[in-house]
């Protein structure tokens, strides 16, 4: 089983996304871009102040698209981004075409499939990521997409891992969860799965992280 963001794909900013955007009336530089992207992709924690309504949306953002939108627009606005620019950046976040695959993503998924090893993408997310896999020809190598907004459970809740195992028809003891968050993805250990942690580095800086992770568990890829 694989996480999506920071594991198989990464949302990496294009400078053109920030053209004409200012934060607190200051031009967005590389440092500010990186911080905004961190706030938009961090799997756990919160980076801005939130009232009760915003906090509710934040805690449940991966269960419903409207809460996801509300939560991240609040993050961007609280980060100093004007409303119309916040909407523009948010649309980038939920566009599967904006996400960059890690260099070994397609290889790992296709090789596991060739060896008859079932795979699932288990993600806390509120939009359909299947087109990102189709764009690199990897969708046919994923047996199941277990997405939080479709199954009604978010990692580390055991329910989402149990759903994935049931769909795959495999035992937890024979399964490894690969992800970039010990807190969220590591929740798979509670149902008896193995767990491999990868670093959510920029894609150019992690050419073989997935390969090494699955090889460490004895898979031949």
């Amino acid at each position: 089983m694989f996480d999506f963001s920071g594991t198989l794909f990464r949302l990496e900013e294009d400078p053109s996304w920030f053209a004409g955007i200012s934060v607190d009336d200051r031009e967005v530089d590389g440092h500010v871009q990186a911080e905004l992207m961190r706030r938009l992709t961090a799997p756990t924690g919160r980076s801005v102040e939130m009232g009760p309504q915003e906090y509710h949306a934040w805690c449940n953002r991966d269960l419903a698209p409207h809460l996801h939108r509300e939560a991240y627009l609040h993050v961007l606005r609280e980060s100093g981004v004007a409303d119309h620019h916040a909407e523009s950046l948010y649309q980038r976040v939920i566009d599967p075409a904006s996400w960059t695959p890690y260099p070994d993503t397609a290889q790992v998924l296709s090789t596991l499939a060739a060896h008859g090893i079932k795979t699932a993408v288990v993600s806390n997310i509120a939009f359909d990521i299947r087109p990102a896999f189709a764009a690199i020809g990897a969708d046919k190598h994923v047996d199941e997409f277990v997405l939080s907004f479709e199954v009604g459970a978010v990692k580390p809740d055991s329910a989402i891992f149990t759903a994935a195992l049931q769909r795959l028809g495999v035992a937890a003891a024979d399964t490894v969860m690969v992800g970039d968050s010990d807190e969220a993805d590591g929740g798979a250990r509670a149902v008896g799965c193995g767990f491999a942690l990868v670093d959510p580095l920029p894609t150019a800086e992690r050419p073989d992280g997935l390969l090494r992770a699955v090889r460490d568990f004895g898979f031949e890829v």
Side-chain angles (χ1 to χ4, degrees):
M1 300 191 293
F2 294 91
D3 171 51
F4 174 67
S5 174
T7 301
L8 295 175
F9 286 73
R10 189 172 187 270
L11 185 66
E12 297 186 330
E13 69 272 21
D14 184 317
S16 67
W17 297 358
F18 298 89
I21 295 179
S22 61
V23 171
D24 294 328
D25 298 322
R26 292 178 296 174
E27 185 177 346
V28 174
D29 59 17
H31 175 75
V32 175
Q33 288 182 25
E35 175 58 18
L36 288 174
M37 298 304 288
R38 185 193 70 77
R39 295 184 181 190
L40 290 170
T41 57
T44 59
R46 50 177 171 163
S47 53
V48 301
E49 291 296 320
M50 299 178 182
Q53 180 176 333
E54 291 80 17
Y55 186 61
H56 171 78
W58 181 255
C59 292
N60 294 281
R61 65 193 185 280
D62 292 319
L63 291 174
H66 73 282
L67 294 176
H68 190 272
R69 181 177 183 276
E70 179 182 336
Y72 282 107
L73 287 180
H74 176 74
V75 167
L76 288 168
R77 290 164 181 154
E78 286 296 301
S79 300
V81 179
D83 284 358
H84 61 295
H85 290 312
E87 184 66 49
S88 174
L89 286 175
Y90 178 71
Q91 291 304 316
R92 298 287 187 181
V93 172
I94 63 172
D95 181 358
S98 297
W99 292 75
T100 303
Y102 277 92
D104 53 351
T105 290
Q107 178 185 350
V108 166
L109 293 175
S110 64
T111 304
L112 290 175
H115 283 87
I117 298 171
K118 294 183 177 181
T119 59
V121 175
V122 183
S123 179
N124 287 352
I125 206 148
F127 58 94
D128 188 4
I129 56 176
R130 294 173 182 85
F133 291 82
I136 61 170
D139 55 324
K140 59 183 175 291
H141 301 309
V142 178
D143 293 285
E144 296 289 342
F145 286 89
V146 185
L147 311 182
S148 58
F149 82 106
E150 293 180 342
V151 300
V154 297
K155 297 176 290 186
D157 187 339
S158 296
I160 193 169
F161 301 112
T162 299
L165 293 171
Q166 290 175 342
R167 290 186 185 184
L168 290 172
V170 297
D174 298 324
T175 306
V176 176
M177 178 70 201
V178 182
D180 68 307
S181 171
D182 185 79
E183 179 181 347
D185 303 311
R189 291 176 293 211
V191 298
C193 297
F195 173 60
L197 183 67
V198 294
D199 195 333
L201 293 167
T203 55
E205 298 176 21
R206 207 195 76 193
D208 61 352
L210 295 170
L211 287 165
R212 287 185 282 107
V214 296
R215 284 170 179 164
D216 285 346
F217 273 87
F219 294 102
E220 296 182 4
V221 291

